[in-house]
Amino acid sequence: MKNAFIGKLLPLLRKHWPHPKCEVNHKNPLQLMVGVILSAQSTDKTVNELTPALFKKYPTAKAFAQADPLHVEHMIYRAGFFRAKTKSVMGACRMIVEKFGGEVPRTMEELLELPGIGRKSANVILGASYGIASGIVVDTHMIRLSNRFRLSRLDDPVKIEQELCAIVPKKDWIFFSQSMVLHGRYICQAKTPRCWECHLIKICPYTDKVLSPRIDEKKPPRETITGIPITIRKN
């Protein structure tokens, strides 16, 4: 049943998100690693506003490793938990310099050694930076959608990832991760899912569908914070 649903789900997701991508702006794996550490309990929009100046000041892992912590804290203050995040960023960069030759690792096992990096972050880095399908990214959006689509009844991210990896073809893990996160953020939202815009509505088993927008709703955005068009169902 779940495999059959995934077979129908993937092509419909591609109608919404033919070219999904990670919403943490980055030009290389180091920038993505720093970005995902900063995005914890913050928003990608806020992180994307902070990181251009941060990466100009600290362009390499060595630069971060040798930085003045107080200056880093000042630059990332708006991301929240700035002291802990500074400690994680600098600690991860020191390990990258001292143990990994200055390059962000390319394996799950090595990434998990870095301060501030868990399975979710490691999957994001490996998929978005290296094109390596190491697993499936399970964040709050993936947990919610997996429940609504009856792909999992669990709330433990590691166990949900195991369930999803068993039914989603490995060749689709990166696409599935990126498109489901975007879908949860912009279409299948927590409080009011935008079912009237959703290509998945005919197969979606979620019972509390919202079939029309509020009368006073303004025209919804047609692109993500990184400029990806949001292709909606029109009929």
Side-chain angles (χ1 to χ4, degrees), residues 183-231:
H183 201 70
R185 186 168 289 167
Y186 294 101
I187 301 292
C188 197
Q189 297 169 332
K191 292 183 179 180
T192 307
R194 306 178 69 84
C195 305
W196 69 91
E197 294 180 336
C198 186
H199 287 292
L200 280 55
I201 191 168
K202 292 183 179 180
I203 67 167
C204 178
Y206 184 55
T207 55
D208 296 330
K209 292 183 175 69
V210 181
L211 300 177
S212 60
R214 294 184 326 197
I215 294 175
D216 62 344
E217 179 177 283
K218 296 179 181 180
K219 185 177 180 180
R222 288 297 183 269
E223 63 179 29
T224 69
I225 62 170
T226 55
I228 296 177
I230 301 174
T231 307

Short mmCIF file of all heavy atoms in Angstrom, two decimals, residues 183-231:
data_model
loop_
_atom_site.label_atom_id
_atom_site.label_comp_id
_atom_site.label_asym_id
_atom_site.label_seq_id
_atom_site.Cartn_x
_atom_site.Cartn_y
_atom_site.Cartn_z
N HIS A 183 7.21 21.38 0.12
CA HIS A 183 5.76 21.18 0.09
C HIS A 183 5.16 21.46 1.47
O HIS A 183 4.09 22.09 1.57
CB HIS A 183 5.44 19.74 -0.34
CG HIS A 183 4.05 19.59 -0.87
ND1 HIS A 183 3.65 20.13 -2.07
CD2 HIS A 183 2.94 18.99 -0.34
CE1 HIS A 183 2.37 19.85 -2.28
NE2 HIS A 183 1.92 19.17 -1.24
N GLY A 184 5.84 21.02 2.51
CA GLY A 184 5.36 21.28 3.85
C GLY A 184 5.44 22.75 4.22
O GLY A 184 4.61 23.27 4.98
N ARG A 185 6.43 23.43 3.70
CA ARG A 185 6.63 24.84 4.03
C ARG A 185 5.65 25.75 3.30
O ARG A 185 5.17 26.74 3.87
CB ARG A 185 8.07 25.22 3.69
CG ARG A 185 8.48 26.62 4.12
CD ARG A 185 9.98 26.78 4.00
NE ARG A 185 10.69 26.01 5.01
CZ ARG A 185 11.99 25.76 5.00
NH1 ARG A 185 12.73 26.23 4.01
NH2 ARG A 185 12.55 25.05 5.95
N TYR A 186 5.34 25.43 2.03
CA TYR A 186 4.57 26.36 1.22
C TYR A 186 3.16 25.89 0.84
O TYR A 186 2.32 26.71 0.50
CB TYR A 186 5.35 26.68 -0.07
CG TYR A 186 6.63 27.42 0.19
CD1 TYR A 186 7.85 26.76 0.18
CD2 TYR A 186 6.61 28.79 0.48
CE1 TYR A 186 9.04 27.44 0.44
CE2 TYR A 186 7.79 29.48 0.73
CZ TYR A 186 9.00 28.80 0.71
OH TYR A 186 10.16 29.49 0.97
N ILE A 187 2.90 24.59 0.87
CA ILE A 187 1.58 24.08 0.47
C ILE A 187 0.89 23.36 1.64
O ILE A 187 -0.14 23.82 2.14
CB ILE A 187 1.68 23.12 -0.73
CG1 ILE A 187 2.32 23.82 -1.94
CG2 ILE A 187 0.29 22.58 -1.10
CD1 ILE A 187 1.48 24.91 -2.55
N CYS A 188 1.46 22.28 2.10
CA CYS A 188 0.83 21.48 3.16
C CYS A 188 1.27 22.01 4.53
O CYS A 188 1.94 21.33 5.31
CB CYS A 188 1.20 20.01 3.00
SG CYS A 188 0.12 18.88 3.91
N GLN A 189 0.87 23.24 4.80
CA GLN A 189 1.31 23.94 6.01
C GLN A 189 0.63 23.38 7.25
O GLN A 189 -0.42 22.75 7.18
CB GLN A 189 1.06 25.43 5.84
CG GLN A 189 1.86 26.04 4.70
CD GLN A 189 1.45 27.45 4.34
OE1 GLN A 189 0.30 27.84 4.55
NE2 GLN A 189 2.38 28.22 3.79
N ALA A 190 1.23 23.67 8.40
CA ALA A 190 0.78 23.05 9.65
C ALA A 190 -0.64 23.46 10.03
O ALA A 190 -1.51 22.60 10.25
CB ALA A 190 1.75 23.39 10.77
N LYS A 191 -0.91 24.74 10.11
CA LYS A 191 -2.21 25.20 10.60
C LYS A 191 -3.29 25.15 9.53
O LYS A 191 -4.40 24.70 9.78
CB LYS A 191 -2.08 26.63 11.15
CG LYS A 191 -1.24 26.72 12.41
CD LYS A 191 -1.23 28.15 12.94
CE LYS A 191 -0.42 28.25 14.23
NZ LYS A 191 -0.40 29.63 14.77
N THR A 192 -2.97 25.62 8.34
CA THR A 192 -3.97 25.66 7.27
C THR A 192 -3.36 25.16 5.97
O THR A 192 -2.79 25.93 5.20
CB THR A 192 -4.49 27.10 7.06
OG1 THR A 192 -4.93 27.63 8.31
CG2 THR A 192 -5.65 27.12 6.08
N PRO A 193 -3.45 23.85 5.72
CA PRO A 193 -2.91 23.32 4.46
C PRO A 193 -3.65 23.90 3.27
O PRO A 193 -4.87 24.06 3.29
CB PRO A 193 -3.15 21.81 4.58
CG PRO A 193 -4.25 21.67 5.58
CD PRO A 193 -4.07 22.81 6.54
N ARG A 194 -2.89 24.26 2.26
CA ARG A 194 -3.45 24.93 1.08
C ARG A 194 -3.87 23.86 0.06
O ARG A 194 -3.36 23.79 -1.06
CB ARG A 194 -2.43 25.91 0.51
CG ARG A 194 -1.91 26.90 1.55
CD ARG A 194 -0.86 27.83 0.97
NE ARG A 194 -1.43 28.74 0.01
CZ ARG A 194 -2.03 29.90 0.32
NH1 ARG A 194 -2.14 30.27 1.59
NH2 ARG A 194 -2.53 30.67 -0.62
N CYS A 195 -4.87 23.06 0.46
CA CYS A 195 -5.28 21.92 -0.35
C CYS A 195 -5.85 22.35 -1.70
O CYS A 195 -5.78 21.60 -2.68
CB CYS A 195 -6.31 21.09 0.41
SG CYS A 195 -5.75 20.55 2.04
N TRP A 196 -6.43 23.56 -1.76
CA TRP A 196 -7.00 24.03 -3.02
C TRP A 196 -5.93 24.29 -4.07
O TRP A 196 -6.23 24.38 -5.26
CB TRP A 196 -7.83 25.30 -2.78
CG TRP A 196 -7.04 26.51 -2.40
CD1 TRP A 196 -6.52 27.45 -3.21
CD2 TRP A 196 -6.66 26.89 -1.05
NE1 TRP A 196 -5.85 28.41 -2.50
CE2 TRP A 196 -5.92 28.11 -1.17
CE3 TRP A 196 -6.88 26.35 0.20
CZ2 TRP A 196 -5.40 28.76 -0.06
CZ3 TRP A 196 -6.37 27.01 1.30
CH2 TRP A 196 -5.64 28.19 1.19
N GLU A 197 -4.67 24.37 -3.65
CA GLU A 197 -3.57 24.57 -4.60
C GLU A 197 -2.80 23.28 -4.89
O GLU A 197 -1.91 23.28 -5.74
CB GLU A 197 -2.57 25.58 -4.03
CG GLU A 197 -3.12 26.98 -3.87
CD GLU A 197 -2.09 27.94 -3.28
OE1 GLU A 197 -1.16 27.48 -2.59
OE2 GLU A 197 -2.21 29.15 -3.53
N CYS A 198 -3.14 22.21 -4.20
CA CYS A 198 -2.26 21.04 -4.16
C CYS A 198 -2.54 20.01 -5.25
O CYS A 198 -3.67 19.53 -5.40
CB CYS A 198 -2.37 20.38 -2.78
SG CYS A 198 -1.21 19.03 -2.53
N HIS A 199 -1.51 19.63 -5.98
CA HIS A 199 -1.62 18.59 -7.00
C HIS A 199 -1.85 17.21 -6.38
O HIS A 199 -2.28 16.29 -7.06
CB HIS A 199 -0.33 18.53 -7.83
CG HIS A 199 -0.17 19.68 -8.78
ND1 HIS A 199 -0.98 19.86 -9.88
CD2 HIS A 199 0.71 20.72 -8.79
CE1 HIS A 199 -0.60 20.96 -10.54
NE2 HIS A 199 0.42 21.49 -9.89
N LEU A 200 -1.57 17.09 -5.08
CA LEU A 200 -1.67 15.78 -4.42
C LEU A 200 -3.07 15.50 -3.89
O LEU A 200 -3.32 14.43 -3.33
CB LEU A 200 -0.69 15.71 -3.25
CG LEU A 200 0.78 15.41 -3.54
CD1 LEU A 200 1.38 16.38 -4.54
CD2 LEU A 200 1.59 15.45 -2.25
N ILE A 201 -4.00 16.42 -4.05
CA ILE A 201 -5.28 16.33 -3.36
C ILE A 201 -6.05 15.05 -3.68
O ILE A 201 -6.74 14.49 -2.82
CB ILE A 201 -6.14 17.58 -3.65
CG1 ILE A 201 -7.35 17.61 -2.71
CG2 ILE A 201 -6.54 17.64 -5.11
CD1 ILE A 201 -8.08 18.95 -2.74
N LYS A 202 -5.95 14.54 -4.91
CA LYS A 202 -6.72 13.36 -5.29
C LYS A 202 -6.25 12.08 -4.62
O LYS A 202 -7.01 11.12 -4.49
CB LYS A 202 -6.71 13.19 -6.82
CG LYS A 202 -7.48 14.28 -7.55
CD LYS A 202 -7.50 14.03 -9.05
CE LYS A 202 -8.29 15.12 -9.77
NZ LYS A 202 -8.32 14.88 -11.24
N ILE A 203 -4.98 12.06 -4.19
CA ILE A 203 -4.47 10.85 -3.55
C ILE A 203 -4.25 11.03 -2.05
O ILE A 203 -3.97 10.06 -1.34
CB ILE A 203 -3.16 10.37 -4.20
CG1 ILE A 203 -2.02 11.36 -3.93
CG2 ILE A 203 -3.34 10.10 -5.69
CD1 ILE A 203 -0.64 10.81 -4.26
N CYS A 204 -4.38 12.26 -1.57
CA CYS A 204 -4.04 12.56 -0.18
C CYS A 204 -5.09 11.99 0.78
O CYS A 204 -6.28 12.32 0.65
CB CYS A 204 -3.91 14.07 0.02
SG CYS A 204 -3.55 14.52 1.73
N PRO A 205 -4.68 11.19 1.77
CA PRO A 205 -5.63 10.61 2.71
C PRO A 205 -5.95 11.51 3.91
O PRO A 205 -6.75 11.14 4.77
CB PRO A 205 -4.90 9.34 3.19
CG PRO A 205 -3.46 9.71 3.13
CD PRO A 205 -3.31 10.63 1.95
N TYR A 206 -5.34 12.67 3.98
CA TYR A 206 -5.56 13.58 5.11
C TYR A 206 -7.03 13.99 5.15
O TYR A 206 -7.61 14.37 4.14
CB TYR A 206 -4.67 14.81 4.97
CG TYR A 206 -4.73 15.79 6.10
CD1 TYR A 206 -4.48 15.38 7.41
CD2 TYR A 206 -5.04 17.13 5.89
CE1 TYR A 206 -4.51 16.28 8.47
CE2 TYR A 206 -5.08 18.04 6.93
CZ TYR A 206 -4.82 17.61 8.23
OH TYR A 206 -4.86 18.50 9.27
N THR A 207 -7.64 13.90 6.31
CA THR A 207 -9.09 14.09 6.42
C THR A 207 -9.51 15.54 6.60
O THR A 207 -10.62 15.92 6.20
CB THR A 207 -9.66 13.26 7.59
OG1 THR A 207 -8.95 13.60 8.80
CG2 THR A 207 -9.50 11.77 7.31
N ASP A 208 -8.65 16.36 7.19
CA ASP A 208 -9.04 17.76 7.47
C ASP A 208 -8.57 18.70 6.36
O ASP A 208 -7.86 19.68 6.60
CB ASP A 208 -8.47 18.20 8.81
CG ASP A 208 -9.04 17.41 9.97
OD1 ASP A 208 -10.20 16.96 9.86
OD2 ASP A 208 -8.34 17.24 10.99
N LYS A 209 -9.00 18.42 5.16
CA LYS A 209 -8.57 19.24 4.02
C LYS A 209 -9.21 20.63 4.07
O LYS A 209 -10.34 20.80 4.52
CB LYS A 209 -8.93 18.56 2.71
CG LYS A 209 -8.15 17.28 2.42
CD LYS A 209 -8.53 16.71 1.05
CE LYS A 209 -7.67 15.52 0.69
NZ LYS A 209 -7.98 14.35 1.54
N VAL A 210 -8.46 21.61 3.60
CA VAL A 210 -8.96 22.98 3.46
C VAL A 210 -9.10 23.24 1.97
O VAL A 210 -8.10 23.37 1.26
CB VAL A 210 -8.00 24.00 4.11
CG1 VAL A 210 -8.56 25.41 3.97
CG2 VAL A 210 -7.78 23.65 5.58
N LEU A 211 -10.33 23.32 1.49
CA LEU A 211 -10.57 23.29 0.06
C LEU A 211 -10.69 24.66 -0.61
O LEU A 211 -10.76 24.75 -1.82
CB LEU A 211 -11.84 22.47 -0.23
CG LEU A 211 -11.76 21.01 0.24
CD1 LEU A 211 -13.08 20.30 -0.03
CD2 LEU A 211 -10.61 20.28 -0.44
N SER A 212 -10.68 25.72 0.19
CA SER A 212 -10.73 27.05 -0.39
C SER A 212 -10.04 28.04 0.53
O SER A 212 -10.04 27.87 1.75
CB SER A 212 -12.17 27.50 -0.65
OG SER A 212 -12.89 27.52 0.57
N PRO A 213 -9.45 29.08 -0.04
CA PRO A 213 -8.77 30.09 0.80
C PRO A 213 -9.78 30.94 1.55
O PRO A 213 -10.97 30.97 1.21
CB PRO A 213 -8.00 30.92 -0.22
CG PRO A 213 -8.80 30.79 -1.48
CD PRO A 213 -9.37 29.40 -1.47
N ARG A 214 -9.31 31.64 2.56
CA ARG A 214 -10.16 32.60 3.25
C ARG A 214 -10.56 33.71 2.28
O ARG A 214 -9.80 34.06 1.37
CB ARG A 214 -9.43 33.22 4.44
CG ARG A 214 -9.10 32.23 5.53
CD ARG A 214 -8.47 32.92 6.72
NE ARG A 214 -7.62 34.06 6.34
CZ ARG A 214 -6.73 34.60 7.16
NH1 ARG A 214 -6.54 34.10 8.37
NH2 ARG A 214 -6.00 35.63 6.78
N ILE A 215 -11.72 34.26 2.49
CA ILE A 215 -12.23 35.30 1.59
C ILE A 215 -11.28 36.49 1.54
O ILE A 215 -11.08 37.10 0.48
CB ILE A 215 -13.64 35.75 2.04
CG1 ILE A 215 -14.63 34.59 1.89
CG2 ILE A 215 -14.10 36.96 1.23
CD1 ILE A 215 -16.02 34.90 2.40
N ASP A 216 -10.68 36.81 2.69
CA ASP A 216 -9.83 37.99 2.76
C ASP A 216 -8.36 37.70 2.47
O ASP A 216 -7.51 38.56 2.65
CB ASP A 216 -9.95 38.66 4.13
CG ASP A 216 -9.49 37.73 5.26
OD1 ASP A 216 -9.37 36.51 5.03
OD2 ASP A 216 -9.26 38.23 6.38
N GLU A 217 -8.07 36.47 2.01
CA GLU A 217 -6.68 36.12 1.79
C GLU A 217 -6.09 36.90 0.62
O GLU A 217 -6.71 37.01 -0.44
CB GLU A 217 -6.52 34.62 1.53
CG GLU A 217 -5.07 34.24 1.27
CD GLU A 217 -4.89 32.74 1.09
OE1 GLU A 217 -4.90 32.03 2.09
OE2 GLU A 217 -4.74 32.31 -0.06
N LYS A 218 -4.89 37.38 0.83
CA LYS A 218 -4.19 38.07 -0.25
C LYS A 218 -3.62 37.06 -1.23
O LYS A 218 -3.50 35.87 -0.92
CB LYS A 218 -3.06 38.93 0.33
CG LYS A 218 -3.56 40.06 1.24
CD LYS A 218 -2.40 40.86 1.79
CE LYS A 218 -2.90 41.97 2.69
NZ LYS A 218 -1.77 42.77 3.26
N LYS A 219 -3.25 37.51 -2.39
CA LYS A 219 -2.67 36.63 -3.40
C LYS A 219 -1.43 35.96 -2.84
O LYS A 219 -0.52 36.64 -2.34
CB LYS A 219 -2.30 37.43 -4.65
CG LYS A 219 -1.80 36.58 -5.80
CD LYS A 219 -1.53 37.43 -7.02
CE LYS A 219 -1.01 36.58 -8.18
NZ LYS A 219 -0.73 37.40 -9.38
N PRO A 220 -1.37 34.63 -2.86
CA PRO A 220 -0.24 33.93 -2.26
C PRO A 220 1.04 34.13 -3.06
O PRO A 220 0.99 34.43 -4.26
CB PRO A 220 -0.68 32.47 -2.32
CG PRO A 220 -1.62 32.39 -3.46
CD PRO A 220 -2.34 33.71 -3.47
N PRO A 221 2.18 34.00 -2.42
CA PRO A 221 3.45 34.11 -3.16
C PRO A 221 3.59 32.99 -4.18
O PRO A 221 3.07 31.90 -3.99
CB PRO A 221 4.50 33.97 -2.05
CG PRO A 221 3.81 33.24 -0.95
CD PRO A 221 2.37 33.66 -1.01
N ARG A 222 4.24 33.29 -5.25
CA ARG A 222 4.41 32.30 -6.31
C ARG A 222 5.85 31.81 -6.43
O ARG A 222 6.22 31.18 -7.39
CB ARG A 222 3.95 32.89 -7.64
CG ARG A 222 2.43 33.04 -7.73
CD ARG A 222 1.75 31.68 -7.67
NE ARG A 222 0.32 31.76 -7.81
CZ ARG A 222 -0.52 31.88 -6.80
NH1 ARG A 222 -0.05 31.97 -5.56
NH2 ARG A 222 -1.81 31.93 -7.00
N GLU A 223 6.67 32.14 -5.44
CA GLU A 223 8.02 31.60 -5.42
C GLU A 223 8.50 31.47 -3.99
O GLU A 223 7.97 32.10 -3.07
CB GLU A 223 8.97 32.47 -6.23
CG GLU A 223 9.16 33.87 -5.71
CD GLU A 223 10.14 34.67 -6.54
OE1 GLU A 223 10.26 34.40 -7.75
OE2 GLU A 223 10.80 35.55 -5.98
N THR A 224 9.50 30.61 -3.80
CA THR A 224 10.06 30.39 -2.48
C THR A 224 11.05 31.50 -2.14
O THR A 224 11.31 32.38 -2.97
CB THR A 224 10.79 29.04 -2.42
OG1 THR A 224 11.99 29.13 -3.23
CG2 THR A 224 9.93 27.91 -2.95
N ILE A 225 11.62 31.46 -0.95
CA ILE A 225 12.57 32.50 -0.57
C ILE A 225 13.83 32.47 -1.41
O ILE A 225 14.58 33.44 -1.45
CB ILE A 225 12.94 32.40 0.92
CG1 ILE A 225 13.64 31.07 1.24
CG2 ILE A 225 11.74 32.61 1.80
CD1 ILE A 225 14.23 31.02 2.63
N THR A 226 14.08 31.35 -2.10
CA THR A 226 15.24 31.27 -2.98
C THR A 226 14.86 31.45 -4.45
O THR A 226 15.66 31.20 -5.34
CB THR A 226 15.98 29.93 -2.80
OG1 THR A 226 15.05 28.85 -2.99
CG2 THR A 226 16.59 29.83 -1.42
N GLY A 227 13.62 31.83 -4.69
CA GLY A 227 13.20 32.14 -6.06
C GLY A 227 12.68 30.98 -6.86
O GLY A 227 12.50 31.11 -8.09
N ILE A 228 12.41 29.83 -6.22
CA ILE A 228 11.85 28.69 -6.95
C ILE A 228 10.35 28.92 -7.17
O ILE A 228 9.63 29.19 -6.21
CB ILE A 228 12.05 27.38 -6.17
CG1 ILE A 228 13.54 27.05 -6.03
CG2 ILE A 228 11.32 26.22 -6.84
CD1 ILE A 228 13.80 25.82 -5.21
N PRO A 229 9.86 28.83 -8.40
CA PRO A 229 8.43 29.02 -8.64
C PRO A 229 7.61 27.96 -7.91
O PRO A 229 7.97 26.79 -7.87
CB PRO A 229 8.29 28.86 -10.16
CG PRO A 229 9.67 29.13 -10.69
CD PRO A 229 10.62 28.62 -9.65
N ILE A 230 6.49 28.38 -7.31
CA ILE A 230 5.56 27.45 -6.67
C ILE A 230 4.46 27.15 -7.68
O ILE A 230 3.59 27.98 -7.93
CB ILE A 230 4.98 28.04 -5.38
CG1 ILE A 230 6.10 28.38 -4.39
CG2 ILE A 230 3.99 27.07 -4.74
CD1 ILE A 230 5.64 29.11 -3.15
N THR A 231 4.52 25.98 -8.28
CA THR A 231 3.55 25.61 -9.30
C THR A 231 2.33 25.01 -8.62
O THR A 231 2.39 23.92 -8.04
CB THR A 231 4.17 24.58 -10.28
OG1 THR A 231 5.39 25.09 -10.79
CG2 THR A 231 3.21 24.29 -11.42
#
